[in-house]
Amino acid sequence: MFTVSGMPILADEMEVLTELKSQLALNGIYMFKSIKPITNHIQFSCPFHKDGQESKPSCGITTVDVKTGDGHITKAGTVHCFTCQRVCSLEEMISYCFGKNDFGAFGTQWLKKNFLTVQYENRQEIDLDLDRGKKKEVRTKNYVSEEELDSYRYVHPYILNRKITEDVIDFFDVGYDRDFVLKSKNGKEYHLECITFPVRDITGGTLFIARRCITSKLFHYPHGVIKPLYGIYELSLLEKYPDEIIVCESIINCLTCWSYGKYAVALNGTSTPEQIQELKKLPCRKIILGLDPDAAGNRGREKIKKYIGNSKIVTDLIIPEGKDINDLTKEEFDNLKEGL
Ligand SMILES: [Zn+2]
């Protein structure tokens, strides 16, 4: 699996090149006569010189990060031709093949359209729903069945190692799916071991299962779902509703807060208009923004402050740069300061 603009592509370079070759052929463009995998790279007929018709393939793409003699690192996915000396990214090459001179913008869209079905936990601000606007999203009332939930009820060491306590695992019904099958758009199946997080609405019905792969940073939830505030149902079960609630981006950060004895909800992103409405309605006095201390997190903080207005006290949890709540020990967490 490799990434484009920080997003995972559910295919390897060989599949991408093969698909590219066949789609170009459908458009009457015949290139990539030869494509063959060699250790750490794939060699193919260069599209940049001789009108893409060279006889011996002299262009290559790296499939792993390669360290060269001078210590420079050539990133996986770098295209390099030994004959014409062209160096570019895969997405730039795809753009070029389709006759676009757009610094890889078309190539990126092409990769997303053909191979992308997943989302990274730390890249929530990126909207992967390319069909948005064409169809209306409908909140489904088909809850996940108790039978399915029961099939995930195992405690995997991964989640305990992430500082989440067993009480919290129980309360949120966090589980484990040993064989989650993801299909890329070209039909290839990927089998992943995942931690499962039932996402419930205020009535306790499970709207969908969010999953975190235990072997990569892959985070997944079903396509087209409307994300509620994660934790809204669990808060309603408390004997006394908390006076203040921390708002986190990720589920793991939210569960870390609970494990450290503070109440929290997660946005699974940096907030949607629906979630801000839900935040406004929470029967608490104060909201503490615990979004990640980066550009996307800061935009989310500003947006929430703007739309919550004066209906609640809103403060910022000041998290050290480059960290998120789950990175912190309980002591570090307890010592975090709040700002306005
Ligand atoms: Zn070339």
Side-chain angles (χ1 to χ4, degrees):
M1 189 151 47
F2 67 104
T3 62
V4 165
S5 313
M7 291 171 293
I9 297 299
L10 265 188
D12 58 31
E13 290 82 350
M14 194 65 199
E15 290 171 70
V16 171
L17 290 171
T18 310
E19 180 64 23
L20 180 61
K21 178 181 178 174
S22 69
Q23 288 200 24
L24 285 168
L26 287 174
N27 286 287
I29 303 165
Y30 299 95
M31 286 200 252
F32 302 102
K33 192 167 171 229
S34 163
I35 305 173
K36 59 178 176 194
I38 301 173
T39 320
N40 294 345
H41 73 285
I42 298 167
Q43 211 163 51
F44 52 86
S45 319
C46 179
F48 297 109
H49 71 271
K50 274 202 170 175
D51 286 332
Q53 308 302 317
E54 66 172 353
S55 49
K56 267 195 225 142
S58 60
C59 198
I61 182 167
T62 48
T63 53
V64 294
D65 290 352
V66 178
K67 202 168 175 179
T68 53
D70 57 1
H72 180 79
I73 290 172
T74 304
K75 281 242 173 247
T78 303
V79 173
H80 177 211
C81 176
F82 291 97
T83 303
C84 67
Q85 296 300 327
R86 182 72 162 241
V87 178
C88 67
S89 66
L90 175 61
E91 49 273 35
E92 283 167 332
M93 181 179 81
I94 295 168
S95 276
Y96 177 88
C97 292
F98 283 99
K100 320 259 181 204
N101 185 12
D102 58 6
F103 304 99
F106 175 86
T108 302
Q109 290 305 312
W110 186 87
L111 282 167
K112 282 197 211 172
K113 198 173 134 232
N114 288 287
F115 299 103
L116 194 82
T117 60
V118 293
Q119 184 165 19
Y120 261 148
E121 186 169 13
N122 296 329
R123 289 278 186 273
Q124 301 94 335
E125 81 272 27
I126 295 165
D127 181 4
L128 302 181
D129 186 357
L130 301 173
D131 300 319
R132 190 175 290 270
K134 281 187 204 149
K135 61 170 188 283
K136 191 128 177 65
E137 286 173 314
V138 180
R139 188 191 291 265
T140 171
K141 282 291 174 200
N142 294 329
Y143 292 131
V144 177
S145 71
E146 190 55 29
E147 196 185 355
E148 182 180 345
L149 290 169
D150 206 38
S151 71
Y152 303 138
R153 286 186 177 124
Y154 302 94
V155 176
H156 192 278
Y158 172 92
I159 192 73
L160 293 169
N161 293 340
R162 296 289 297 244
K163 302 164 183 156
I164 315 298
T165 61
E166 289 195 57
D167 286 356
V168 170
I169 290 170
D170 262 2
F171 197 52
F172 282 84
D173 206 9
V174 178
Y176 167 65
D177 183 354
R178 57 186 298 217
D179 187 27
F180 176 54
V181 182
L182 255 189
K183 251 189 200 168
S184 70
K185 287 183 183 165
N186 63 0
K188 187 165 175 184
E189 288 187 350
Y190 293 80
H191 294 262
L192 305 169
E193 275 186 83
C194 295
I195 300 297
T196 54
F197 304 95
V199 178
R200 296 139 152 176
D201 67 11
I202 189 73
T203 69
T206 301
L207 293 167
F208 59 89
I209 306 277
R211 287 176 171 81
R212 173 73 147 83
C213 181
I214 65 171
T215 51
S216 74
K217 291 190 88 172
L218 204 75
F219 194 75
H220 177 271
Y221 43 79
H223 187 73
V225 292
I226 292 180
K227 297 177 280 185
L229 278 182
Y230 177 81
I232 195 169
Y233 168 68
E234 289 77 2
L235 283 170
S236 76
L237 296 178
L238 297 172
E239 233 160 82
K240 184 179 174 296
Y241 209 88
D243 196 34
E244 46 183 63
I245 291 169
I246 301 175
V247 179
C248 306
E249 285 185 40
S250 77
I251 290 178
I252 293 273
N253 286 337
C254 167
L255 298 181
T256 308
C257 291
W258 281 74
S259 299
Y260 286 167
K262 298 274 191 199
Y263 299 108
V265 291
L267 303 166
N268 278 314
T270 57
S271 81
T272 64
E274 292 88 355
Q275 288 175 328
I276 293 177
Q277 286 311 313
E278 284 186 297
L279 281 175
K280 264 184 160 172
K281 282 190 238 154
L282 292 180
C284 64
R285 187 181 53 95
K286 180 175 164 189
I287 282 175
I288 303 166
L289 301 178
L291 283 75
D292 297 347
D294 57 20
N298 290 338
R299 280 197 299 276
R301 287 169 189 253
E302 290 313 311
K303 196 163 85 178
I304 295 169
K305 278 183 210 163
K306 183 174 160 196
Y307 290 108
I308 296 267
N310 294 324
S311 60
K312 289 189 195 314
I313 300 170
V314 184
T315 65
D316 274 312
L317 195 58
I318 301 168
I319 300 166
E321 234 173 273
K323 302 225 170 184
D324 64 22
I325 291 170
N326 186 252
D327 295 324
L328 307 174
T329 63
K330 173 140 188 349
E331 199 193 347
E332 288 169 327
F333 177 79
D334 287 340
N335 288 327
L336 289 178
K337 299 270 185 292
E338 282 173 50
L340 283 174

